[in-house]
Amino acid sequence: MKRYDQLTKDELNNLKVDLEKEIALLKKLNLKLDMSRGKPCKEQLDLSMDLMSVLDKHSNLICKDGTDCRNYGVLGGIEEAKELLASFMENKIENILIYGNSSLNVMYTMVMQAWIFGIMGNTPWSKLDKVKFLCPVPGYDRHFAICEEFGIEMINVPMSEIGPDMDMVEKLVSEDDSIKGIWCVPKYSNPDGYTYSDDTVKRFARLKPKAKDFRIFWDNAYTVHHLYEEREKHDHIIEILGECEAVGNPDIVYKFASTSKICFPGSGIASIATSVNNIEDIKKHLKIQTIGYDKVNQLRHVHYFKNLLGIKSKMIEHAKILRPKFELVLKAFDSELSEIGLVKWTKPKGGYFISFYGMNGTAKDIVKKCAELGVKLTDAGATYPYHKDPNDSNIRIAPTYPSTEELEIALNVFTTCVKYCTVEKLLS
Amino acid sequence: MKRYDQLTKDELNNLKVDLEKEIALLKKLNLKLDMSRGKPCKEQLDLSMDLMSVLDKHSNLICKDGTDCRNYGVLGGIEEAKELLASFMENKIENILIYGNSSLNVMYTMVMQAWIFGIMGNTPWSKLDKVKFLCPVPGYDRHFAICEEFGIEMINVPMSEIGPDMDMVEKLVSEDDSIKGIWCVPKYSNPDGYTYSDDTVKRFARLKPKAKDFRIFWDNAYTVHHLYEEREKHDHIIEILGECEAVGNPDIVYKFASTSKICFPGSGIASIATSVNNIEDIKKHLKIQTIGYDKVNQLRHVHYFKNLLGIKSKMIEHAKILRPKFELVLKAFDSELSEIGLVKWTKPKGGYFISFYGMNGTAKDIVKKCAELGVKLTDAGATYPYHKDPNDSNIRIAPTYPSTEELEIALNVFTTCVKYCTVEKLLS
């Protein structure tokens, strides 16, 4: 088989006719499949049903320090939950705050507090003419949505396998004091599945931003979310807060994590790890926002996981379910798309996504064509600020939610649509 | 016994000596009692332990509409939870949004959204020279803290047994478009325990504020929190949202409630009831803040209470524990303080507080004196904006948390300190 860009116009036209027939057949299947979001599947949720029974009406809901989890109070979380999250995040207990069920909400809160009240006595961002964030692209749409909501200007920074373009990051933050933050998913990144190299993390920790209130928004969403059991197949990353402390830059990072893709998404506990100075600054405002988060649920997670080992062994169970799905995608891409050329994809060892790069100018068409055939994908452009992929190339593949059977059909639809849209583009 | 203001200076001086002796004896007890916050006591928390067992590892966590409570999604809450809260709040399901564990956080969020983004296309409050809230006084310190945090100017409005001074409210909101809100605890108010009269609620619903984005912040925290079982001893209040709709003013009110003082405080579910237009406006921003709140906990509460009857019968159990404590306070005040004159207190039939009014200029001294004897009260002034009680008279008594034995001792301390500080004031 030849690469598509080596085909003659006639060959392309013949191919198009064949593909149109295939598409007509797929259309008749009346599919309704959703590969749009990074949601765990039913089998993954079933893994954590014991969470529902670790506490019952006979349980002691009193913490080691005497706190009654049933009553009001304890802003920042119970000690036991801080211990658990600290072990999982590789941080010290004094650097941890526990929130409610959503780490996205914690990130939003950090932007909101900076916007209205300012960080550590600096001018509130709302009072500035211009606030900008750096956005490694492709990235996570919900990060970008927060910036868009606040009217924060987003600047694209290219991603590579070792992380964002650090030359560009260093230059921009050192020159422009309206740049106040950068969104990072440093491990098994969304959507590429890349993990920042040691050098990248070290350069982050050593940033010398012009803005004193510049913060790295370090969304470590997939820290233990490996696809393979063997340690040598895990990506590793330097713990950023420790690195920042070591080089005398302790306040520069807000690090986020949650248990949401470890047990039940939306019913977990979320956390920030940051310097003690930042924590004091955050709590000053947080205490006005709420009396405290759900301590019973915090205790439930502590009883369920017990320690880091409990979390890690749960992740091995998840990997057993997810690995075949990721491998199915890669296999289908390999067998159907590797020879046509013009397209590429990532091969992550963890996280929730595979990033597909179609021929420039085809991503929107592919997603639209798939939708017509009943397969819902993440919108093309969603992985870029303002939904604008400058190349119209990237599509985020989320293989976790559908069953293997559904995934197989969806991949058939997807690869057919990729071929069809590539041919169409070449003919246009 | 004579009223204190009828005593001669000599009599007062003799009394002072006696009281000093009493205080010295109380000091020796080395007490450590807390009557500062409206927290349920252990026995109340024990009432809801079954909540911990209604869901377990064998439970079906799928909603009627197919929603898997374990997974992401469903901003605004599951239908079952909306039904439960709708019945409890006397509203329709389409007017309900379910949030996380804190109604205070919902109120904060409403102010925050208005501040940054504006209500229904109106200018964001942050862009205005001046934003003011009306604050019926005495009131709830955490409401006032939100205003203070945002730099919203607070205007005191006097409370009476039928609610805030509505002549003043109507006049101010119709004249001044910088007045954007009013804090109300309409039933068993904090701290007085007053319930707004029908006439007051009707006048609220008919307000014609100059500011289009004026909202009534209707914190119905104690809607089913009666101290007496008999229906004829319950306070009743007109449901405000229905009344607002009836008079063509549907968007003017945000009504708040939660299950926090019905089962576990801090682990319950909170809710807003408001017009469908407001709900759309709220969700537009809420969807950026979070993917959704804890649906498993929502389902847990639905399974536990089942319906309004379940909530009401739970409240009867609470009342059995709380009524004796309130009666103990009233009995102590009656026997120790009714004859000295110059002081008064409220006699609520529900809620969490009794409001005590000392002789002008004594509240701070009383609270300080109690603290010296190991009895912690809510700070004097806390029930007023900026912590400034113009009369230095009001003290919020929170009798729910201590045991009856502790309460008895605390009341001994309190009434002794009231007498002492009143005598001191008269002598000064």
Side-chain angles (χ1 to χ4, degrees):
Chain A
M1 193 176 156
K2 282 192 215 165
R3 286 172 54 106
Y4 279 11
D5 54 359
Q6 294 167 352
L7 298 178
T8 64
K9 196 162 182 184
D10 280 350
E11 285 173 319
L12 283 171
N13 272 319
N14 289 338
L15 192 54
K16 193 180 168 190
V17 172
D18 291 346
L19 288 165
E20 272 165 356
K21 282 180 199 157
E22 274 186 56
I23 284 172
L25 288 173
L26 289 168
K27 179 95 186 160
K28 282 187 187 156
L29 297 177
N30 282 316
L31 299 173
K32 208 183 163 211
L33 301 172
D34 193 336
M35 288 215 298
S36 69
R37 303 290 331 167
K39 285 167 72 167
C41 64
K42 184 187 174 301
E43 290 70 29
Q44 287 179 273
L45 302 173
D46 289 344
L47 293 177
S48 296
M49 282 307 288
D50 282 349
L51 179 68
M52 301 304 298
S53 288
V54 285
L55 297 184
D56 64 23
K57 62 182 169 183
H58 305 297
S59 297
N60 176 16
L61 303 180
I62 315 290
C63 294
K64 287 181 295 190
D65 69 358
T67 298
D68 191 333
C69 287
R70 302 171 300 178
N71 220 328
Y72 284 115
V74 194
L75 189 72
I78 61 173
E79 283 303 297
E80 287 90 333
K82 286 187 188 178
E83 267 173 44
L84 179 71
L85 271 285
S87 75
F88 152 58
M89 296 175 81
E90 306 179 286
N91 292 107
K92 285 168 282 179
I93 293 175
E94 64 260 35
N95 295 117
I96 302 277
L97 286 179
I98 310 286
Y99 289 74
N101 71 324
S102 161
S103 63
L104 184 76
N105 187 246
V106 184
M107 297 172 219
Y108 180 96
T109 298
M110 298 320 300
V111 173
M112 181 274 284
Q113 288 186 352
W115 192 259
I116 305 178
F117 310 110
I119 294 174
M120 287 191 182
N122 287 284
T123 308
W125 295 353
S126 60
K127 306 274 186 205
L128 302 172
D129 289 336
K130 183 66 99 179
V131 177
K132 301 174 194 160
F133 261 55
L134 302 182
C135 300
V137 289
Y140 180 33
D141 56 349
R142 291 189 191 271
H143 289 162
F144 304 153
I146 292 174
C147 280
E148 214 171 336
E149 170 87 338
F150 281 83
I152 294 172
E153 186 183 315
M154 292 179 270
I155 300 170
N156 292 2
V157 175
M159 272 288 289
S160 78
E161 284 174 27
I162 57 165
D165 178 341
M166 290 308 294
D167 290 342
M168 184 175 172
V169 170
E170 284 166 352
K171 184 169 186 299
L172 287 171
V173 304
S174 68
E175 286 174 358
D176 185 349
D177 68 356
S178 68
I179 296 175
K180 299 296 188 186
I182 182 168
W183 290 113
C184 297
V185 183
K187 193 168 179 182
Y188 301 133
S189 69
N190 178 350
D192 288 321
Y194 297 150
T195 296
Y196 294 9
S197 70
D198 290 358
D199 185 57
T200 299
V201 178
K202 285 179 181 174
R203 288 174 75 176
F204 263 112
R206 285 161 183 79
L207 282 179
K208 296 274 170 272
K210 197 166 179 198
K212 278 184 194 143
D213 50 354
F214 173 89
R215 291 291 181 274
I216 304 164
F217 284 66
W218 197 259
D219 182 2
N220 212 359
Y222 307 109
T223 174
V224 288
H225 301 57
H226 314 289
L227 285 174
Y228 296 87
E229 199 168 325
E230 306 87 333
R231 233 185 112 73
E232 60 274 17
K233 288 190 185 169
H234 294 180
D235 284 357
H236 294 283
I237 189 166
I238 294 179
E239 197 292 301
I240 179 112
L241 182 58
E243 186 68 18
C244 292
E245 283 167 356
V247 300
N249 213 2
D251 300 332
I252 203 173
V253 66
Y254 293 147
K255 185 177 162 185
F256 307 95
S258 87
T259 62
S260 281
K261 286 188 185 85
I262 301 175
C263 39
F264 294 161
S267 300
I269 56 178
S271 167
I272 197 171
T274 192
S275 72
V276 171
N277 283 341
N278 278 332
I279 284 187
E280 270 175 33
D281 193 49
I282 293 165
K283 282 179 99 170
K284 217 166 55 189
H285 302 293
L286 196 62
K287 72 176 185 197
I288 309 294
Q289 283 178 244
T290 186
I291 300 170
Y293 293 97
D294 186 341
K295 297 185 294 299
V296 171
N297 203 35
Q298 291 172 21
L299 193 68
R300 182 179 288 116
H301 282 76
V302 170
H303 279 250
Y304 180 57
F305 288 117
K306 292 188 176 67
N307 51 40
L308 184 57
L309 207 66
I311 292 179
K312 285 186 173 171
S313 67
K314 186 58 61 185
M315 295 319 291
I316 291 175
E317 299 178 56
H318 282 287
K320 280 185 185 141
I321 296 168
L322 292 183
R323 193 167 54 243
K325 297 188 181 185
F326 276 75
E327 288 176 346
L328 204 63
V329 176
L330 295 177
K331 205 179 123 201
F333 285 4
D334 264 337
S335 66
E336 293 299 315
L337 301 177
S338 61
E339 292 184 349
I340 77 168
L342 305 164
V343 303
K344 60 178 184 175
W345 54 89
T346 60
K347 297 171 187 65
K349 288 185 281 179
Y352 263 63
F353 305 104
I354 288 167
S355 196
F356 176 84
Y357 294 86
M359 184 182 165
N360 284 359
T362 61
K364 272 193 187 140
D365 291 341
I366 294 167
V367 170
K368 196 178 156 210
K369 203 77 196 164
C370 285
E372 286 169 15
L373 300 181
V375 174
K376 193 180 168 196
L377 299 169
T378 309
D379 282 344
T383 51
Y384 286 77
Y386 312 107
H387 299 265
K388 281 181 196 155
D389 175 356
N391 298 321
D392 186 24
S393 157
N394 184 244
I395 298 173
R396 186 178 79 166
I397 307 291
T400 57
Y401 187 71
S403 68
T404 347
E405 295 70 32
E406 290 171 332
L407 193 59
E408 214 146 358
I409 304 168
L411 286 165
N412 192 350
V413 169
F414 180 77
T415 54
T416 308
C417 291
V418 168
K419 289 178 193 170
Y420 179 81
C421 295
T422 309
V423 168
E424 261 207 322
K425 189 76 196 169
L426 288 166
L427 284 168
S428 71
Chain B
M1 193 175 157
K2 281 194 215 168
R3 286 172 54 106
Y4 278 11
D5 54 359
Q6 293 168 353
L7 297 179
T8 64
K9 197 164 179 179
D10 280 350
E11 285 172 319
L12 283 171
N13 273 319
N14 290 337
L15 191 53
K16 193 180 168 191
V17 173
D18 290 346
L19 288 165
E20 273 164 354
K21 282 180 199 156
E22 274 186 56
I23 284 172
L25 288 172
L26 289 169
K27 180 95 186 160
K28 283 188 187 155
L29 297 177
N30 282 317
L31 299 174
K32 208 183 162 207
L33 301 171
D34 193 335
M35 287 215 299
S36 68
R37 305 289 330 165
K39 285 168 74 167
C41 63
K42 184 186 174 302
E43 291 70 29
Q44 288 178 273
L45 302 174
D46 288 344
L47 293 177
S48 296
M49 281 307 286
D50 283 349
L51 179 68
M52 302 303 297
S53 289
V54 285
L55 296 184
D56 64 24
K57 60 182 169 183
H58 306 296
S59 297
N60 176 16
L61 303 180
I62 316 289
C63 293
K64 287 182 294 189
D65 69 358
T67 299
D68 191 331
C69 287
R70 302 172 298 177
N71 220 327
Y72 283 114
V74 193
L75 190 72
I78 61 173
E79 284 303 298
E80 288 89 334
K82 286 187 187 177
E83 268 173 42
L84 180 71
L85 271 285
S87 74
F88 153 59
M89 294 175 82
E90 306 179 289
N91 291 108
K92 285 168 286 180
I93 292 174
E94 65 259 36
N95 296 117
I96 301 277
L97 286 180
I98 310 286
Y99 289 74
N101 72 324
S102 160
S103 63
L104 183 77
N105 186 246
V106 185
M107 298 173 219
Y108 180 95
T109 298
M110 298 319 301
V111 173
M112 182 272 285
Q113 288 186 353
W115 192 259
I116 305 179
F117 310 111
I119 294 174
M120 287 191 182
N122 287 284
T123 308
W125 295 353
S126 60
K127 307 274 187 204
L128 302 172
D129 289 336
K130 184 65 99 178
V131 176
K132 301 174 193 162
F133 261 54
L134 302 182
C135 300
V137 289
Y140 180 33
D141 55 349
R142 291 189 192 270
H143 289 162
F144 305 152
I146 292 175
C147 280
E148 213 170 338
E149 171 86 338
F150 281 84
I152 294 172
E153 186 182 316
M154 293 178 271
I155 300 169
N156 291 2
V157 175
M159 273 289 288
S160 78
E161 283 173 28
I162 57 165
D165 178 341
M166 289 309 293
D167 291 341
M168 184 175 173
V169 171
E170 284 165 352
K171 185 168 187 296
L172 287 172
V173 303
S174 69
E175 287 174 357
D176 184 350
D177 68 357
S178 69
I179 296 175
K180 300 296 188 187
I182 181 168
W183 290 113
C184 296
V185 183
K187 193 167 179 181
Y188 302 132
S189 69
N190 177 351
D192 288 321
Y194 296 149
T195 297
Y196 294 9
S197 71
D198 291 359
D199 184 57
T200 299
V201 178
K202 285 178 180 175
R203 289 173 75 177
F204 263 112
R206 284 160 184 79
L207 281 179
K208 297 274 170 270
K210 198 166 179 199
K212 277 185 195 141
D213 51 352
F214 173 89
R215 292 292 181 273
I216 303 164
F217 284 67
W218 196 259
D219 182 3
N220 212 358
Y222 307 108
T223 174
V224 288
H225 301 59
H226 314 289
L227 285 173
Y228 296 87
E229 199 169 326
E230 306 88 333
R231 232 185 112 72
E232 61 274 18
K233 288 190 183 168
H234 294 179
D235 284 357
H236 295 283
I237 188 165
I238 295 180
E239 197 291 301
I240 180 112
L241 182 57
E243 186 69 16
C244 292
E245 284 167 357
V247 300
N249 214 1
D251 299 332
I252 203 173
V253 67
Y254 293 147
K255 186 177 161 185
F256 306 95
S258 86
T259 62
S260 281
K261 285 189 184 87
I262 302 175
C263 38
F264 294 161
S267 300
I269 55 178
S271 168
I272 195 171
T274 191
S275 72
V276 171
N277 283 341
N278 279 332
I279 283 188
E280 271 176 33
D281 193 50
I282 294 166
K283 282 178 97 170
K284 216 166 56 190
H285 302 292
L286 196 61
K287 72 176 185 196
I288 309 293
Q289 282 179 245
T290 185
I291 300 170
Y293 293 97
D294 185 342
K295 296 185 295 299
V296 171
N297 203 35
Q298 292 172 22
L299 193 68
R300 181 178 288 117
H301 283 76
V302 169
H303 278 252
Y304 181 58
F305 288 118
K306 293 188 177 65
N307 51 39
L308 184 56
L309 207 66
I311 292 178
K312 284 185 173 170
S313 68
K314 186 57 60 184
M315 295 318 292
I316 291 175
E317 297 178 58
H318 282 288
K320 280 187 185 139
I321 296 169
L322 293 184
R323 192 166 56 242
K325 297 189 180 185
F326 277 75
E327 288 176 345
L328 203 63
V329 176
L330 295 176
K331 205 179 124 200
F333 285 5
D334 263 339
S335 67
E336 293 299 316
L337 301 178
S338 61
E339 291 184 350
I340 76 168
L342 305 165
V343 304
K344 61 178 183 175
W345 53 90
T346 60
K347 296 170 187 66
K349 289 186 282 179
Y352 263 62
F353 304 104
I354 289 166
S355 197
F356 176 85
Y357 294 86
M359 184 181 164
N360 285 358
T362 61
K364 273 194 186 139
D365 292 341
I366 293 168
V367 171
K368 196 178 156 208
K369 202 79 197 162
C370 285
E372 287 169 13
L373 299 182
V375 174
K376 192 180 168 196
L377 299 169
T378 308
D379 281 344
T383 52
Y384 286 76
Y386 312 107
H387 299 264
K388 281 182 196 155
D389 174 357
N391 297 321
D392 186 24
S393 158
N394 183 245
I395 298 173
R396 185 178 81 167
I397 306 291
T400 57
Y401 188 72
S403 68
T404 348
E405 295 69 32
E406 290 172 331
L407 193 58
E408 215 146 358
I409 304 168
L411 286 165
N412 191 350
V413 170
F414 181 77
T415 54
T416 306
C417 291
V418 167
K419 289 178 194 170
Y420 179 80
C421 294
T422 310
V423 168
E424 260 207 323
K425 188 79 195 168
L426 288 166
L427 283 169
S428 72

PDB file of all heavy atoms in Angstrom, chain B residues 7 58 84 90 156 203 213-214 246 303 313 330 423:
ATOM      1  N   LEU B   7     -31.237  50.446  92.616  1.00  0.00           N
ATOM      2  CA  LEU B   7     -30.359  50.289  93.782  1.00  0.00           C
ATOM      3  C   LEU B   7     -29.530  51.557  94.011  1.00  0.00           C
ATOM      4  O   LEU B   7     -29.213  52.286  93.077  1.00  0.00           O
ATOM      5  CB  LEU B   7     -29.402  49.109  93.569  1.00  0.00           C
ATOM      6  CG  LEU B   7     -30.028  47.712  93.415  1.00  0.00           C
ATOM      7  CD1 LEU B   7     -28.943  46.665  93.178  1.00  0.00           C
ATOM      8  CD2 LEU B   7     -30.858  47.345  94.656  1.00  0.00           C
ATOM      9  N   HIS B  58     -23.136  -3.368  48.146  1.00  0.00           N
ATOM     10  CA  HIS B  58     -24.103  -4.075  47.310  1.00  0.00           C
ATOM     11  C   HIS B  58     -25.156  -3.137  46.710  1.00  0.00           C
ATOM     12  O   HIS B  58     -26.038  -3.581  45.975  1.00  0.00           O
ATOM     13  CB  HIS B  58     -24.802  -5.163  48.128  1.00  0.00           C
ATOM     14  CG  HIS B  58     -23.843  -6.104  48.784  1.00  0.00           C
ATOM     15  ND1 HIS B  58     -23.012  -6.914  48.049  1.00  0.00           N
ATOM     16  CD2 HIS B  58     -23.565  -6.345  50.088  1.00  0.00           C
ATOM     17  CE1 HIS B  58     -22.257  -7.624  48.883  1.00  0.00           C
ATOM     18  NE2 HIS B  58     -22.569  -7.290  50.121  1.00  0.00           N
ATOM     19  N   LEU B  84     -36.192  15.465  46.719  1.00  0.00           N
ATOM     20  CA  LEU B  84     -36.156  15.515  48.189  1.00  0.00           C
ATOM     21  C   LEU B  84     -36.044  16.952  48.674  1.00  0.00           C
ATOM     22  O   LEU B  84     -36.806  17.404  49.537  1.00  0.00           O
ATOM     23  CB  LEU B  84     -34.979  14.688  48.719  1.00  0.00           C
ATOM     24  CG  LEU B  84     -34.833  14.670  50.245  1.00  0.00           C
ATOM     25  CD1 LEU B  84     -35.939  13.853  50.888  1.00  0.00           C
ATOM     26  CD2 LEU B  84     -33.468  14.114  50.671  1.00  0.00           C
ATOM     27  N   GLU B  90     -40.259  23.339  49.847  1.00  0.00           N
ATOM     28  CA  GLU B  90     -41.564  23.759  49.327  1.00  0.00           C
ATOM     29  C   GLU B  90     -41.434  24.440  47.968  1.00  0.00           C
ATOM     30  O   GLU B  90     -42.074  25.471  47.721  1.00  0.00           O
ATOM     31  CB  GLU B  90     -42.278  24.701  50.308  1.00  0.00           C
ATOM     32  CG  GLU B  90     -42.414  24.123  51.714  1.00  0.00           C
ATOM     33  CD  GLU B  90     -43.105  25.082  52.671  1.00  0.00           C
ATOM     34  OE1 GLU B  90     -42.479  26.096  53.031  1.00  0.00           O
ATOM     35  OE2 GLU B  90     -44.256  24.810  53.038  1.00  0.00           O
ATOM     36  N   ASN B 156     -27.007  48.546  58.251  1.00  0.00           N
ATOM     37  CA  ASN B 156     -27.833  47.893  59.267  1.00  0.00           C
ATOM     38  C   ASN B 156     -29.316  48.211  59.063  1.00  0.00           C
ATOM     39  O   ASN B 156     -29.687  49.366  58.837  1.00  0.00           O
ATOM     40  CB  ASN B 156     -27.451  48.381  60.669  1.00  0.00           C
ATOM     41  CG  ASN B 156     -26.063  47.902  61.081  1.00  0.00           C
ATOM     42  OD1 ASN B 156     -25.375  47.240  60.307  1.00  0.00           O
ATOM     43  ND2 ASN B 156     -25.662  48.243  62.305  1.00  0.00           N
ATOM     44  N   ARG B 203     -44.229  41.760  51.476  1.00  0.00           N
ATOM     45  CA  ARG B 203     -43.557  43.014  51.092  1.00  0.00           C
ATOM     46  C   ARG B 203     -42.197  42.732  50.435  1.00  0.00           C
ATOM     47  O   ARG B 203     -41.791  43.424  49.506  1.00  0.00           O
ATOM     48  CB  ARG B 203     -43.410  43.931  52.313  1.00  0.00           C
ATOM     49  CG  ARG B 203     -44.765  44.506  52.740  1.00  0.00           C
ATOM     50  CD  ARG B 203     -44.681  45.283  54.033  1.00  0.00           C
ATOM     51  NE  ARG B 203     -44.049  46.602  53.869  1.00  0.00           N
ATOM     52  CZ  ARG B 203     -43.934  47.479  54.878  1.00  0.00           C
ATOM     53  NH1 ARG B 203     -44.411  47.181  56.090  1.00  0.00           N
ATOM     54  NH2 ARG B 203     -43.354  48.650  54.661  1.00  0.00           N
ATOM     55  N   ASP B 213     -30.338  43.999  39.308  1.00  0.00           N
ATOM     56  CA  ASP B 213     -29.639  42.801  39.781  1.00  0.00           C
ATOM     57  C   ASP B 213     -29.623  42.733  41.303  1.00  0.00           C
ATOM     58  O   ASP B 213     -28.756  42.107  41.906  1.00  0.00           O
ATOM     59  CB  ASP B 213     -28.211  42.737  39.219  1.00  0.00           C
ATOM     60  CG  ASP B 213     -27.435  44.027  39.450  1.00  0.00           C
ATOM     61  OD1 ASP B 213     -28.054  45.023  39.907  1.00  0.00           O
ATOM     62  OD2 ASP B 213     -26.226  44.048  39.175  1.00  0.00           O
ATOM     63  N   PHE B 214     -30.627  43.350  41.930  1.00  0.00           N
ATOM     64  CA  PHE B 214     -30.813  43.188  43.376  1.00  0.00           C
ATOM     65  C   PHE B 214     -31.368  41.792  43.640  1.00  0.00           C
ATOM     66  O   PHE B 214     -32.275  41.330  42.943  1.00  0.00           O
ATOM     67  CB  PHE B 214     -31.795  44.244  43.902  1.00  0.00           C
ATOM     68  CG  PHE B 214     -32.189  44.049  45.346  1.00  0.00           C
ATOM     69  CD1 PHE B 214     -31.456  44.621  46.366  1.00  0.00           C
ATOM     70  CD2 PHE B 214     -33.309  43.274  45.679  1.00  0.00           C
ATOM     71  CE1 PHE B 214     -31.818  44.437  47.705  1.00  0.00           C
ATOM     72  CE2 PHE B 214     -33.678  43.083  47.008  1.00  0.00           C
ATOM     73  CZ  PHE B 214     -32.929  43.669  48.017  1.00  0.00           C
ATOM     74  N   ALA B 246     -45.909  34.752  42.009  1.00  0.00           N
ATOM     75  CA  ALA B 246     -47.320  35.155  41.962  1.00  0.00           C
ATOM     76  C   ALA B 246     -47.485  36.641  41.682  1.00  0.00           C
ATOM     77  O   ALA B 246     -48.459  37.058  41.050  1.00  0.00           O
ATOM     78  CB  ALA B 246     -48.012  34.780  43.273  1.00  0.00           C
ATOM     79  N   HIS B 303     -31.768   8.034  49.930  1.00  0.00           N
ATOM     80  CA  HIS B 303     -32.092   6.723  50.509  1.00  0.00           C
ATOM     81  C   HIS B 303     -32.377   6.834  52.005  1.00  0.00           C
ATOM     82  O   HIS B 303     -33.216   6.122  52.538  1.00  0.00           O
ATOM     83  CB  HIS B 303     -30.932   5.743  50.286  1.00  0.00           C
ATOM     84  CG  HIS B 303     -30.937   5.124  48.929  1.00  0.00           C
ATOM     85  ND1 HIS B 303     -31.273   3.814  48.701  1.00  0.00           N
ATOM     86  CD2 HIS B 303     -30.672   5.652  47.711  1.00  0.00           C
ATOM     87  CE1 HIS B 303     -31.194   3.551  47.406  1.00  0.00           C
ATOM     88  NE2 HIS B 303     -30.821   4.654  46.786  1.00  0.00           N
ATOM     89  N   SER B 313     -39.588  13.618  60.695  1.00  0.00           N
ATOM     90  CA  SER B 313     -39.509  12.756  61.875  1.00  0.00           C
ATOM     91  C   SER B 313     -38.120  12.836  62.502  1.00  0.00           C
ATOM     92  O   SER B 313     -37.970  12.742  63.719  1.00  0.00           O
ATOM     93  CB  SER B 313     -39.911  11.322  61.545  1.00  0.00           C
ATOM     94  OG  SER B 313     -38.956  10.741  60.700  1.00  0.00           O
ATOM     95  N   LEU B 330     -33.663  29.430  79.251  1.00  0.00           N
ATOM     96  CA  LEU B 330     -34.743  30.369  79.554  1.00  0.00           C
ATOM     97  C   LEU B 330     -35.070  30.360  81.046  1.00  0.00           C
ATOM     98  O   LEU B 330     -35.324  31.406  81.646  1.00  0.00           O
ATOM     99  CB  LEU B 330     -35.985  30.025  78.730  1.00  0.00           C
ATOM    100  CG  LEU B 330     -35.802  30.186  77.206  1.00  0.00           C
ATOM    101  CD1 LEU B 330     -37.055  29.741  76.453  1.00  0.00           C
ATOM    102  CD2 LEU B 330     -35.448  31.632  76.836  1.00  0.00           C
ATOM    103  N   VAL B 423     -23.714  45.684  87.133  1.00  0.00           N
ATOM    104  CA  VAL B 423     -23.405  46.465  88.330  1.00  0.00           C
ATOM    105  C   VAL B 423     -22.226  47.407  88.062  1.00  0.00           C
ATOM    106  O   VAL B 423     -22.287  48.610  88.361  1.00  0.00           O
ATOM    107  CB  VAL B 423     -23.093  45.526  89.519  1.00  0.00           C
ATOM    108  CG1 VAL B 423     -22.479  46.312  90.683  1.00  0.00           C
ATOM    109  CG2 VAL B 423     -24.350  44.796  89.974  1.00  0.00           C
TER     110      VAL B 423
END
